[in-house]
Amino acid sequence: MNKFNYRISLLITLMGISISVSAQKKQKPNPLKEAVIASVDSRFEELTDVSDRIWSFEEIAFQETQSAAALSDYAESLGFKVTRGVAEIPTAFVAEYGSGKPIIGILGEFDALPGLSQNTVPYKSPLHEGAPGHGCGHNLFGTASLGAAAAIKDLIEKGEIQGTVRFYGTPAEEKFFGKLWMVREGLFDDVDVVMDWHPAAETKTAVQKGLALVDFQVEFYGQAAHASADPWNGRSTGDALELYTTGINYYREHIKPTVRIHYHIQDAGKVVNVVPDYSRIWVRVRDSSREGLIPVWKRVEAMAEGAAIMANVDYKVSLISGVHEVLVNRTGSAALQKNLESLGPITYTEEEQEFAKKIQEATGKPQIGLVSKIEPMEETAEHSMGGSTDVGDVSWVVPTIRLSATTAPNGTPWHSWAVVASSGMSIGHKGMAYAAKALSMTMVDLFQNPELVENVKAEFKEKKGDYVYKGFVPDGPPPINSNLQD
């Protein structure tokens, strides 16, 4: 063998050794991550039972008595110290295990949406006509997060990691944004990092900001009169309401594409032959950032005065609540992404895929079934659209790492019967278990790697800058027993 061929042969051999060593390093499992995966698997039947019970309770914002009890009682049975009724909210609670730093929190929602009750069948079929349903999959949300917290608790209990894991039972995300009062109460002030996830139609790290939002109520007060005999003696709050919504709708032409305005007329009078002396409307304004939101919000509020003047009635504007856009943490998201890739995609049976295709057929979507792949980590858009969440407010007081996990078929209309159907059967259950594993694996990284925690916190501090968080929340207690529940 000549010198040249010898060198080539040696180089190939060394490269082979290097690749082999690299592959071995890559394939070498983390025993603590294997342990949390096993923990979730061992509790799968228990977690499914909790999730299905919450699904069946069908409880809406601030009324989730049975749902909160299902989660908090289960946490207590696992050895967590549970504090119920925090932040003046009967259905909010905190479950904690361990001591000292780091303190890693995880969020769990469990409220349903009005009017979406549904059986676990791939066509519209209410379980209880007119009742609520889990059209956002929150029965899975809170349960998976508690499953992840329990897996970490097991490691702390065995002395394999040190620190504190804290589960937050957070009610009323769909209507009032219960986390706002929990933030105001200071319940997140000592936390190092918070984990969060949400049911979805795909599996990926959640690195979009969503929309900032504000909710307010406008009430009009007038004078009742007979609508035919002496309408000139009346001052119609119905007129004020129509003038107000007309103003809002004409304003839509002159707002930026990132803005959304919604309203719900709650009271427009009782009968046709009476000039109404009272009307009420719930108004919601969104934008991709709180800076863009505020001037639009104030403009829409001011229109109420104009409507009241034109109708010759009195009016009152009351802040309900509002949320910030999410402060995305890409450092933490990158750690989560690695765990998703390590776990691989969720696998589905032929029956589950057929169920998914029937839902897609029923909702007019392409019949492609469930998407089973790990999406790459996206760039964070400057103006990301979509929904809003009170997780945004948590993310402005503590670094927050977020996940989306598949619990419903691709293209499924969210906040619909189709999500309720999927959330109460095996498709949802698989997404729940997957989320619990991915979240707990990432929490293992945070507990094992202090440098990762510091890097996550450094990005948070840099992105937050000098902004001092102030929530869009009125003074006083949460609106648990107000006319806002009507």
Side-chain angles (χ1 to χ4, degrees):
M1 182 183 291
N2 62 37
K3 232 181 235 188
F4 176 77
N5 288 337
Y6 173 77
R7 287 174 180 171
I8 292 294
S9 177
L10 180 60
L11 180 60
I12 290 170
T13 301
L14 291 172
M15 285 175 64
I17 292 170
S18 176
I19 291 169
S20 176
V21 171
S22 176
Q24 287 175 12
K25 285 182 179 179
K26 186 177 180 180
Q27 293 169 6
K28 186 178 180 181
N30 181 320
L32 297 189
K33 291 184 181 181
E34 289 188 324
V36 294
I37 291 170
S39 171
V40 173
D41 284 337
S42 71
R43 293 192 174 102
F44 179 74
E45 289 187 9
E46 294 177 3
L47 295 171
T48 298
D49 175 67
V50 172
S51 175
D52 284 352
R53 283 191 287 129
I54 294 170
W55 183 89
S56 71
F57 295 149
E58 304 174 323
E59 294 174 310
I60 60 172
F62 288 144
Q63 298 177 23
E64 319 97 330
T65 305
Q66 296 177 91
S67 302
L71 288 167
S72 60
D73 290 352
Y74 183 54
E76 205 163 50
S77 74
L78 294 174
F80 285 84
K81 176 187 175 183
V82 177
T83 306
R84 297 175 174 84
V86 298
E88 300 181 79
I89 304 173
T91 53
F93 67 95
V94 175
E96 182 175 283
Y97 191 88
S99 61
K101 290 284 192 172
I103 300 174
I104 308 300
I106 188 164
L107 306 178
E109 299 170 10
F110 42 85
D111 59 324
L113 284 156
L116 293 182
S117 181
Q118 168 68 23
N119 276 291
T120 52
V121 292
Y123 51 88
K124 189 173 183 180
S125 174
L127 185 64
H128 302 108
E129 191 70 47
H134 278 279
C136 215
H138 290 181
N139 61 301
L140 306 167
F141 187 161
T143 308
S145 294
L146 182 53
I152 295 298
K153 184 228 73 164
D154 292 344
L155 297 182
I156 296 174
E157 187 175 29
K158 294 173 183 175
E160 294 178 326
I161 57 174
Q162 285 75 46
T164 305
V165 60
R166 187 181 295 166
F167 173 84
Y168 291 88
T170 63
E173 191 274 341
E174 295 291 3
K175 188 172 184 179
F176 297 107
F177 308 118
K179 296 181 192 67
L180 296 175
W181 287 273
M182 298 175 79
V183 170
R184 188 179 71 177
E185 192 73 10
L187 298 178
F188 297 93
D189 288 354
D190 61 344
V191 183
D192 291 289
V193 181
V194 159
M195 302 296 302
D196 170 63
W197 83 286
H198 201 282
E202 55 188 352
T203 301
K204 62 182 181 180
T205 53
V207 292
Q208 302 306 331
K209 297 182 289 185
L211 301 180
L213 168 160
V214 69
D215 281 343
F216 59 93
Q217 185 184 68
V218 178
E219 296 171 280
F220 293 106
Y221 303 89
Q223 172 63 53
H226 193 293
S228 180
D230 64 337
W232 50 85
N233 282 329
R235 293 184 292 116
S236 175
T237 58
D239 292 350
L241 195 63
E242 289 193 68
L243 289 164
Y244 183 47
T245 58
T246 299
I248 291 173
N249 291 328
Y250 271 96
Y251 184 42
R252 294 184 193 279
E253 182 183 357
H254 310 288
I255 56 178
K256 292 180 178 180
T258 53
V259 176
R260 297 287 186 270
I261 305 175
H262 329 285
Y263 55 76
H264 168 56
I265 295 172
Q266 297 178 296
D267 192 336
K270 306 302 181 187
V271 290
V272 71
N273 63 339
V274 174
V275 174
D277 63 356
Y278 178 77
S279 64
R280 184 172 79 244
I281 184 171
W282 183 312
V283 184
R284 171 168 289 184
V285 180
R286 309 188 203 224
D287 196 14
S288 57
S289 71
R290 65 188 181 282
E291 289 92 347
L293 167 75
I294 291 171
V296 178
W297 163 24
K298 294 305 177 183
R299 178 71 171 168
V300 175
E301 270 194 347
M303 290 178 185
E305 181 180 9
I309 290 170
M310 288 187 284
N312 191 28
V313 301
D314 299 317
Y315 79 102
K316 177 184 177 183
V317 177
S318 304
L319 173 66
I320 298 171
S321 63
V323 299
H324 286 55
E325 72 277 22
V326 174
L327 185 62
V328 174
N329 194 287
R330 294 188 65 85
T331 302
S333 298
L336 172 61
Q337 181 70 27
K338 290 179 182 177
N339 288 314
L340 295 182
E341 292 168 1
S342 172
L343 269 176
I346 303 170
T347 58
Y348 298 102
T349 64
E350 289 184 12
E351 290 78 11
E352 287 163 344
Q353 289 289 8
E354 186 61 28
F355 186 96
K357 289 175 183 178
K358 287 180 179 178
I359 282 184
Q360 288 161 341
E361 180 182 15
T363 55
K365 302 298 178 183
Q367 296 172 48
I368 62 173
L370 292 146
V371 175
S372 184
K373 64 176 181 176
I374 306 302
E375 299 289 343
M377 184 168 155
E378 303 168 334
E379 291 300 318
T380 302
E382 181 181 357
H383 297 290
S384 55
M385 301 303 292
S388 308
T389 174
D390 53 5
V391 176
D393 287 68
V394 175
S395 75
W396 283 92
V397 297
V398 57
T400 304
I401 304 170
R402 307 186 66 221
L403 163 71
S404 294
T406 301
T407 60
N410 185 269
T412 300
W414 224 249
H415 286 197
S416 79
W417 66 265
V419 175
V420 187
S422 302
S423 298
M425 50 83 70
S426 61
I427 292 172
H429 300 154
K430 285 186 174 180
M432 172 196 70
Y434 187 93
K437 292 173 184 178
L439 292 165
S440 57
M441 290 170 72
T442 308
M443 293 164 82
V444 166
D445 289 327
L446 294 167
F447 278 102
Q448 283 194 307
N449 188 351
E451 186 178 358
L452 174 60
V453 174
E454 290 308 310
N455 289 341
V456 166
K457 293 167 83 169
E459 180 184 335
F460 167 77
K461 185 176 180 180
E462 180 183 355
K463 284 185 173 178
K464 184 176 180 180
D466 58 3
Y467 174 66
V468 178
Y469 169 82
K470 181 173 175 56
F472 299 132
V473 61
D475 295 333
I480 294 167
N481 298 308
S482 72
N483 67 6
L484 298 173
Q485 287 282 15
D486 297 344

